[in-house]
C-alpha cells in the first residue's frame, strides 16, 4: 500500500510538471516521461520484492489462527469472549483488505489508461499493470484465507452457544 501511495504522489508531481511544460519543449516532455517511467520501474521493483513476502506471511498467520482455533476445544472450556474478539479482529482485517483491493483495482485502471508516451514509459507501464494484477491476486488469496478463519471461528462460537 505504501508503494502504491508513493507512486500515486509521484505521478501527481509528474502530472503537475507536465501541465506546466509547454508542448513545444519536446526534450523536457521526454525527460518527464522518462522520470515517470523510472518511478514505475521503482514501484515494480518494490512490489516484486514485497508481494511474495506479504503472501507467505499472511498465509502463515492465517493458517496459525485457523489451526489455533480448531485446537481450542482440546484445552478445556472455550473462552468465548476472546474467540469472538479475535474473530472480530480478523473480520476487520478482511474488510481492510477488501477496501485495499478495490483501491489497487482503481489504481491499475488509472495506470493502464495513461497515454502512450516514450517507449521506456510504455514498457514500464505494461510491467506496472502486470504487477498490479499480481497484487490483486495476492489480495484475493488473503481475503479468502481470512474469510475461512472467520468462518472457522464463527462455527466454533455457534457450537459453543
Amino acid at each position: 500500500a505504501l508503494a502504491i501511495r508513493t507512486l500515486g504522489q509521484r505521478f501527481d508531481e509528474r502530472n503537475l510538471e507536465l501541465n506546466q511544460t509547454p508542448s513545444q519543449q519536446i526534450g523536457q516532455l521526454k525527460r518527464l516521461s522518462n522520470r515517470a517511467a523510472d518511478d514505475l520501474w521503482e514501484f515494480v521493483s518494490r512490489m516484486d520484492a514485497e508481494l511474495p513476502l506479504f503472501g507467505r506471511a499472511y498465509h502463515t498467520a492465517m493458517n496459525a489462527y485457523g489451526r489455533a482455533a480448531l485446537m481450542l476445544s482440546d484445552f478445556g472450556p472455550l473462552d468465548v469472549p476472546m474467540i469472538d474478539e479475535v474473530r472480530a479482529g480478523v473480520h476487520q482485517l478482511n474488510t481492510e483488505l477488501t477496501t485495499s483491493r478495490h483501491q489497487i483495482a482503481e489504481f491499475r485502471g488509472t495506470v493502464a489508461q495513461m497515454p502512450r508516451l516514450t517507449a521506456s514509459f510504455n514498457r514500464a507501464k505494461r510491467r506496472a499493470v502486470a504487477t498490479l494484477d499480481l497484487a490483486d491476486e495476492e489480495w484475493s488469496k488473503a481475503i479468502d484465507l481470512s474469510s475461512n478463519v472467520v468462518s472457522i471461528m464463527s462455527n466454533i462460537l455457534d457450537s459453543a452457544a
Side-chain angles (χ1 to χ4, degrees), residues 102-121:
H102 290 299
Q103 292 169 341
I104 289 169
E106 288 175 9
F107 188 62
R108 184 212 178 275
T110 299
V111 172
Q113 292 186 5
M114 291 175 151
R116 294 180 53 81
L117 298 172
T118 62
S120 173
F121 179 82

Side-chain angles (χ1 to χ4, degrees), residues 94-151:
N94 198 27
T95 301
E96 298 289 334
L97 285 168
T98 302
T99 299
S100 180
R101 185 175 182 213
H102 290 299
Q103 292 169 341
I104 289 169
E106 288 175 9
F107 188 62
R108 184 212 178 275
T110 299
V111 172
Q113 292 186 5
M114 291 175 151
R116 294 180 53 81
L117 298 172
T118 62
S120 173
F121 179 82
N122 297 338
R123 279 191 299 274
K125 181 178 102 168
R126 280 191 303 275
R127 187 63 174 90
V129 167
T131 296
L132 287 164
D133 287 340
L134 291 174
D136 182 67
E137 289 175 26
E138 284 298 331
W139 259 249
S140 178
K141 291 176 194 174
I143 290 166
D144 289 346
L145 284 169
S146 52
S147 294
N148 289 338
V149 170
V150 168
S151 178

Side-chain angles (χ1 to χ4, degrees), residues 21-41:
T21 303
S23 60
Q24 300 87 351
Q25 295 182 354
I26 302 298
Q28 177 66 11
L29 292 172
K30 283 184 179 183
R31 280 189 290 284
L32 289 172
S33 173
N34 288 334
R35 285 178 34 205
D38 291 343
D39 293 341
L40 283 170
W41 284 118

Side-chain angles (χ1 to χ4, degrees), residues 4-96:
I4 292 172
R5 199 168 326 136
T6 301
L7 181 61
Q9 290 169 346
R10 287 184 180 165
F11 268 32
D12 288 343
E13 293 169 13
R14 301 290 175 250
N15 192 29
L16 182 63
E17 291 171 340
L18 281 168
N19 288 334
Q20 292 174 347
T21 303
S23 60
Q24 300 87 351
Q25 295 182 354
I26 302 298
Q28 177 66 11
L29 292 172
K30 283 184 179 183
R31 280 189 290 284
L32 289 172
S33 173
N34 288 334
R35 285 178 34 205
D38 291 343
D39 293 341
L40 283 170
W41 284 118
E42 182 181 329
F43 167 77
V44 166
S45 176
R46 281 183 69 183
M47 292 297 286
D48 283 352
E50 293 176 12
L51 280 174
L53 297 175
F54 167 78
R56 282 192 301 271
Y58 200 85
H59 186 266
T60 299
M62 287 300 114
N63 276 342
Y65 270 123
R67 282 194 309 268
L70 290 171
M71 294 176 9
L72 283 173
S73 62
D74 294 342
F75 296 104
L78 293 177
D79 185 350
V80 172
M82 186 267 309
I83 297 169
D84 192 42
E85 183 178 329
V86 171
R87 183 186 57 82
V90 174
H91 178 72
Q92 179 61 35
L93 181 58
N94 198 27
T95 301
E96 298 289 334

